[in-house]
mmCIF file of all heavy atoms in Angstrom:
data_model
loop_
_atom_site.group_PDB
_atom_site.id
_atom_site.type_symbol
_atom_site.label_atom_id
_atom_site.label_comp_id
_atom_site.label_asym_id
_atom_site.label_seq_id
_atom_site.Cartn_x
_atom_site.Cartn_y
_atom_site.Cartn_z
ATOM 1 N N ILE I 1 -26.600 -15.539 36.635
ATOM 2 C CA ILE I 1 -26.979 -15.280 35.303
ATOM 3 C C ILE I 1 -26.836 -13.816 34.922
ATOM 4 O O ILE I 1 -26.360 -13.439 33.876
ATOM 5 C CB ILE I 1 -28.524 -15.676 35.115
ATOM 6 C CG1 ILE I 1 -28.671 -17.197 35.231
ATOM 7 C CG2 ILE I 1 -29.046 -15.202 33.723
ATOM 8 C CD1 ILE I 1 -30.084 -17.711 35.202
ATOM 9 N N VAL I 2 -27.161 -12.914 35.907
ATOM 10 C CA VAL I 2 -26.934 -11.463 35.764
ATOM 11 C C VAL I 2 -25.408 -11.157 35.515
ATOM 12 O O VAL I 2 -25.068 -10.431 34.640
ATOM 13 C CB VAL I 2 -27.392 -10.706 36.928
ATOM 14 C CG1 VAL I 2 -26.937 -9.219 36.905
ATOM 15 C CG2 VAL I 2 -28.930 -10.766 37.083
ATOM 16 N N GLY I 3 -24.559 -11.917 36.230
ATOM 17 C CA GLY I 3 -23.124 -11.741 36.014
ATOM 18 C C GLY I 3 -22.645 -12.112 34.644
ATOM 19 O O GLY I 3 -21.846 -11.355 34.063
ATOM 20 N N VAL I 4 -23.190 -13.193 34.141
ATOM 21 C CA VAL I 4 -22.775 -13.608 32.780
ATOM 22 C C VAL I 4 -23.322 -12.633 31.738
ATOM 23 O O VAL I 4 -22.556 -12.162 30.910
ATOM 24 C CB VAL I 4 -23.327 -15.036 32.509
ATOM 25 C CG1 VAL I 4 -23.089 -15.476 31.016
ATOM 26 C CG2 VAL I 4 -22.643 -16.051 33.425
ATOM 27 N N ALA I 5 -24.610 -12.335 31.833
ATOM 28 C CA ALA I 5 -25.220 -11.441 30.864
ATOM 29 C C ALA I 5 -24.663 -10.046 30.930
ATOM 30 O O ALA I 5 -24.378 -9.434 29.922
ATOM 31 C CB ALA I 5 -26.759 -11.431 31.018
ATOM 32 N N GLY I 6 -24.463 -9.533 32.157
ATOM 33 C CA GLY I 6 -23.969 -8.190 32.318
ATOM 34 C C GLY I 6 -22.528 -8.047 31.866
ATOM 35 O O GLY I 6 -22.117 -7.110 31.191
ATOM 36 N N GLY I 7 -21.662 -9.108 32.162
ATOM 37 C CA GLY I 7 -20.308 -9.032 31.710
ATOM 38 C C GLY I 7 -20.147 -9.174 30.273
ATOM 39 O O GLY I 7 -19.372 -8.402 29.615
ATOM 40 N N ALA I 8 -20.946 -10.061 29.633
ATOM 41 C CA ALA I 8 -20.880 -10.236 28.169
ATOM 42 C C ALA I 8 -21.324 -8.966 27.426
ATOM 43 O O ALA I 8 -20.667 -8.548 26.450
ATOM 44 C CB ALA I 8 -21.699 -11.465 27.752
ATOM 45 N N THR I 9 -22.435 -8.425 27.928
ATOM 46 C CA THR I 9 -22.949 -7.215 27.172
ATOM 47 C C THR I 9 -22.077 -6.000 27.481
ATOM 48 O O THR I 9 -21.926 -5.172 26.559
ATOM 49 C CB THR I 9 -24.364 -6.891 27.634
ATOM 50 O OG1 THR I 9 -24.416 -6.842 29.043
ATOM 51 C CG2 THR I 9 -25.304 -8.050 27.161
ATOM 52 N N ARG I 10 -21.446 -5.948 28.627
ATOM 53 C CA ARG I 10 -20.539 -4.844 28.875
ATOM 54 C C ARG I 10 -19.364 -4.883 27.933
ATOM 55 O O ARG I 10 -18.869 -3.892 27.434
ATOM 56 C CB ARG I 10 -20.039 -4.944 30.334
ATOM 57 C CG ARG I 10 -19.111 -3.792 30.760
ATOM 58 C CD ARG I 10 -19.683 -2.458 30.700
ATOM 59 N NE ARG I 10 -19.135 -1.645 29.618
ATOM 60 C CZ ARG I 10 -19.429 -0.416 29.381
ATOM 61 N NH1 ARG I 10 -20.304 0.228 30.126
ATOM 62 N NH2 ARG I 10 -18.902 0.230 28.374
ATOM 63 N N ALA I 11 -18.835 -6.081 27.661
ATOM 64 C CA ALA I 11 -17.716 -6.284 26.714
ATOM 65 C C ALA I 11 -18.193 -5.836 25.318
ATOM 66 O O ALA I 11 -17.424 -5.163 24.592
ATOM 67 C CB ALA I 11 -17.240 -7.725 26.690
ATOM 68 N N ALA I 12 -19.399 -6.240 24.910
ATOM 69 C CA ALA I 12 -19.863 -5.821 23.576
ATOM 70 C C ALA I 12 -20.020 -4.340 23.457
ATOM 71 O O ALA I 12 -19.693 -3.702 22.431
ATOM 72 C CB ALA I 12 -21.190 -6.512 23.313
ATOM 73 N N LEU I 13 -20.526 -3.694 24.572
ATOM 74 C CA LEU I 13 -20.635 -2.217 24.495
ATOM 75 C C LEU I 13 -19.326 -1.506 24.555
ATOM 76 O O LEU I 13 -19.157 -0.452 23.989
ATOM 77 C CB LEU I 13 -21.571 -1.779 25.693
ATOM 78 C CG LEU I 13 -23.029 -2.342 25.666
ATOM 79 C CD1 LEU I 13 -23.792 -1.770 26.816
ATOM 80 C CD2 LEU I 13 -23.676 -1.897 24.316
ATOM 81 N N THR I 14 -18.336 -2.098 25.266
ATOM 82 C CA THR I 14 -17.006 -1.503 25.236
ATOM 83 C C THR I 14 -16.446 -1.534 23.861
ATOM 84 O O THR I 14 -15.774 -0.530 23.435
ATOM 85 C CB THR I 14 -16.106 -2.269 26.203
ATOM 86 O OG1 THR I 14 -16.675 -2.266 27.560
ATOM 87 C CG2 THR I 14 -14.717 -1.658 26.222
ATOM 88 N N MET I 15 -16.635 -2.560 23.099
ATOM 89 C CA MET I 15 -16.151 -2.593 21.715
ATOM 90 C C MET I 15 -16.794 -1.489 20.856
ATOM 91 O O MET I 15 -16.194 -0.898 20.057
ATOM 92 C CB MET I 15 -16.485 -3.968 21.118
ATOM 93 C CG MET I 15 -15.634 -5.126 21.604
ATOM 94 S SD MET I 15 -16.111 -6.683 20.760
ATOM 95 C CE MET I 15 -15.735 -6.243 19.021
ATOM 96 N N HIS I 16 -18.120 -1.224 21.183
ATOM 97 C CA HIS I 16 -18.780 -0.172 20.439
ATOM 98 C C HIS I 16 -18.263 1.185 20.826
ATOM 99 O O HIS I 16 -18.054 2.107 19.912
ATOM 100 C CB HIS I 16 -20.321 -0.290 20.774
ATOM 101 C CG HIS I 16 -21.009 1.028 20.498
ATOM 102 N ND1 HIS I 16 -21.285 1.559 19.290
ATOM 103 C CD2 HIS I 16 -21.590 1.906 21.444
ATOM 104 C CE1 HIS I 16 -21.922 2.748 19.404
ATOM 105 N NE2 HIS I 16 -22.139 2.938 20.699
ATOM 106 N N GLN I 17 -17.968 1.422 22.114
ATOM 107 C CA GLN I 17 -17.562 2.748 22.604
ATOM 108 C C GLN I 17 -16.091 3.018 22.236
ATOM 109 O O GLN I 17 -15.780 4.238 22.020
ATOM 110 C CB GLN I 17 -17.706 2.785 24.094
ATOM 111 C CG GLN I 17 -19.168 2.801 24.583
ATOM 112 C CD GLN I 17 -19.300 2.730 26.036
ATOM 113 O OE1 GLN I 17 -18.453 2.252 26.792
ATOM 114 N NE2 GLN I 17 -20.431 3.211 26.567
ATOM 115 N N ALA I 18 -15.222 2.081 22.226
ATOM 116 C CA ALA I 18 -13.839 2.307 21.917
ATOM 117 C C ALA I 18 -13.595 2.599 20.439
ATOM 118 O O ALA I 18 -13.921 1.795 19.556
ATOM 119 C CB ALA I 18 -12.987 1.094 22.335
ATOM 120 N N ARG I 19 -13.017 3.783 20.140
ATOM 121 C CA ARG I 19 -12.883 4.193 18.747
ATOM 122 C C ARG I 19 -11.462 4.363 18.321
ATOM 123 O O ARG I 19 -11.192 4.722 17.204
ATOM 124 C CB ARG I 19 -13.611 5.579 18.624
ATOM 125 C CG ARG I 19 -15.128 5.481 18.716
ATOM 126 C CD ARG I 19 -15.692 4.412 17.725
ATOM 127 N NE ARG I 19 -17.033 4.029 17.967
ATOM 128 C CZ ARG I 19 -18.111 4.637 17.445
ATOM 129 N NH1 ARG I 19 -17.994 5.591 16.629
ATOM 130 N NH2 ARG I 19 -19.318 4.098 17.773
ATOM 131 N N ARG I 20 -10.556 4.084 19.197
ATOM 132 C CA ARG I 20 -9.119 4.188 18.860
ATOM 133 C C ARG I 20 -8.344 2.932 19.269
ATOM 134 O O ARG I 20 -7.242 3.043 19.790
ATOM 135 C CB ARG I 20 -8.421 5.435 19.500
ATOM 136 C CG ARG I 20 -8.931 6.723 18.888
ATOM 137 C CD ARG I 20 -8.134 7.834 19.581
ATOM 138 N NE ARG I 20 -8.560 9.177 18.994
ATOM 139 C CZ ARG I 20 -8.189 10.326 19.549
ATOM 140 N NH1 ARG I 20 -7.413 10.360 20.596
ATOM 141 N NH2 ARG I 20 -8.564 11.458 18.945
ATOM 142 N N ASN I 21 -8.987 1.804 19.112
ATOM 143 C CA ASN I 21 -8.361 0.533 19.583
ATOM 144 C C ASN I 21 -7.921 0.621 21.049
ATOM 145 O O ASN I 21 -6.917 0.140 21.500
ATOM 146 C CB ASN I 21 -7.126 0.111 18.733
ATOM 147 C CG ASN I 21 -7.515 -0.139 17.291
ATOM 148 O OD1 ASN I 21 -8.541 -0.802 17.073
ATOM 149 N ND2 ASN I 21 -6.682 0.273 16.288
ATOM 150 N N ASN I 22 -8.859 1.294 21.839
ATOM 151 C CA ASN I 22 -8.537 1.540 23.283
ATOM 152 C C ASN I 22 -9.575 0.853 24.157
ATOM 153 O O ASN I 22 -9.986 1.443 25.155
ATOM 154 C CB ASN I 22 -8.511 3.032 23.552
ATOM 155 C CG ASN I 22 -9.875 3.745 23.111
ATOM 156 O OD1 ASN I 22 -10.650 3.198 22.316
ATOM 157 N ND2 ASN I 22 -10.096 4.852 23.721
ATOM 158 N N MET I 23 -9.931 -0.373 23.808
ATOM 159 C CA MET I 23 -10.820 -1.187 24.630
ATOM 160 C C MET I 23 -10.333 -1.336 26.025
ATOM 161 O O MET I 23 -11.153 -1.212 27.003
ATOM 162 C CB MET I 23 -11.083 -2.509 24.037
ATOM 163 C CG MET I 23 -12.037 -2.524 22.853
ATOM 164 S SD MET I 23 -12.421 -4.243 22.384
ATOM 165 C CE MET I 23 -13.029 -4.955 23.954
ATOM 166 N N ALA I 24 -9.036 -1.550 26.248
ATOM 167 C CA ALA I 24 -8.534 -1.744 27.602
ATOM 168 C C ALA I 24 -8.689 -0.481 28.397
ATOM 169 O O ALA I 24 -9.086 -0.545 29.612
ATOM 170 C CB ALA I 24 -7.032 -2.132 27.499
ATOM 171 N N ASP I 25 -8.396 0.637 27.828
ATOM 172 C CA ASP I 25 -8.554 1.956 28.511
ATOM 173 C C ASP I 25 -9.986 2.243 28.888
ATOM 174 O O ASP I 25 -10.299 2.619 30.004
ATOM 175 C CB ASP I 25 -7.968 3.085 27.705
ATOM 176 C CG ASP I 25 -7.897 4.407 28.450
ATOM 177 O OD1 ASP I 25 -7.847 4.349 29.705
ATOM 178 O OD2 ASP I 25 -7.954 5.434 27.793
ATOM 179 N N VAL I 26 -10.887 2.038 27.906
ATOM 180 C CA VAL I 26 -12.334 2.276 28.158
ATOM 181 C C VAL I 26 -12.825 1.334 29.234
ATOM 182 O O VAL I 26 -13.602 1.741 30.156
ATOM 183 C CB VAL I 26 -13.091 2.096 26.853
ATOM 184 C CG1 VAL I 26 -14.622 2.166 27.101
ATOM 185 C CG2 VAL I 26 -12.740 3.128 25.818
ATOM 186 N N SER I 27 -12.421 0.081 29.216
ATOM 187 C CA SER I 27 -12.894 -0.902 30.209
ATOM 188 C C SER I 27 -12.286 -0.606 31.584
ATOM 189 O O SER I 27 -13.033 -0.630 32.568
ATOM 190 C CB SER I 27 -12.458 -2.324 29.806
ATOM 191 O OG SER I 27 -12.837 -3.269 30.671
ATOM 192 N N ALA I 28 -11.051 -0.170 31.651
ATOM 193 C CA ALA I 28 -10.430 0.169 32.893
ATOM 194 C C ALA I 28 -11.082 1.388 33.519
ATOM 195 O O ALA I 28 -11.343 1.457 34.746
ATOM 196 C CB ALA I 28 -8.930 0.415 32.706
ATOM 197 N N LYS I 29 -11.334 2.432 32.734
ATOM 198 C CA LYS I 29 -11.991 3.679 33.234
ATOM 199 C C LYS I 29 -13.437 3.353 33.670
ATOM 200 O O LYS I 29 -13.951 3.971 34.600
ATOM 201 C CB LYS I 29 -11.948 4.736 32.177
ATOM 202 C CG LYS I 29 -10.527 5.170 31.906
ATOM 203 C CD LYS I 29 -9.762 5.756 33.144
ATOM 204 C CE LYS I 29 -8.274 5.931 32.857
ATOM 205 N NZ LYS I 29 -7.966 6.829 31.770
ATOM 206 N N ASP I 30 -14.128 2.467 32.967
ATOM 207 C CA ASP I 30 -15.461 2.035 33.405
ATOM 208 C C ASP I 30 -15.371 1.308 34.753
ATOM 209 O O ASP I 30 -16.264 1.630 35.598
ATOM 210 C CB ASP I 30 -16.031 1.142 32.340
ATOM 211 C CG ASP I 30 -17.413 0.593 32.736
ATOM 212 O OD1 ASP I 30 -18.395 1.474 32.733
ATOM 213 O OD2 ASP I 30 -17.573 -0.505 33.001
ATOM 214 N N GLY I 31 -14.326 0.561 34.975
ATOM 215 C CA GLY I 31 -14.199 -0.031 36.229
ATOM 216 C C GLY I 31 -13.959 1.013 37.357
ATOM 217 O O GLY I 31 -14.407 0.869 38.458
ATOM 218 N N SER I 32 -13.153 2.040 37.008
ATOM 219 C CA SER I 32 -12.918 3.081 38.050
ATOM 220 C C SER I 32 -14.175 3.851 38.344
ATOM 221 O O SER I 32 -14.438 4.220 39.479
ATOM 222 C CB SER I 32 -11.856 4.100 37.437
ATOM 223 O OG SER I 32 -10.620 3.457 37.174
ATOM 224 N N GLN I 33 -14.979 4.098 37.312
ATOM 225 C CA GLN I 33 -16.272 4.732 37.550
ATOM 226 C C GLN I 33 -17.144 3.887 38.482
ATOM 227 O O GLN I 33 -17.802 4.444 39.381
ATOM 228 C CB GLN I 33 -16.956 5.040 36.244
ATOM 229 C CG GLN I 33 -16.262 6.047 35.371
ATOM 230 C CD GLN I 33 -16.798 6.127 33.927
ATOM 231 O OE1 GLN I 33 -17.924 5.749 33.681
ATOM 232 N NE2 GLN I 33 -15.955 6.516 32.999
#
C-alpha cells in the first residue's frame, strides 16, 4: 500500500515541481538522489 501511495503521490509532486515540461528530468534526478 505504501508503494502505491508513495509512487502515486511522488508523481503528483513531480508534476508540481517541474516548471519547464521537465518531469522526466526531475523524476530521474529524484531517483539519483
Side-chain angles (χ1 to χ4, degrees):
I1 292 175
V2 169
V4 174
T9 53
R10 179 65 251 184
L13 296 180
T14 301
M15 288 182 62
H16 157 70
Q17 292 175 333
R19 295 302 166 94
R20 289 183 179 173
N21 294 322
N22 56 338
M23 278 187 59
D25 187 27
V26 172
S27 180
K29 296 301 169 58
D30 179 67
S32 297
Q33 294 168 24

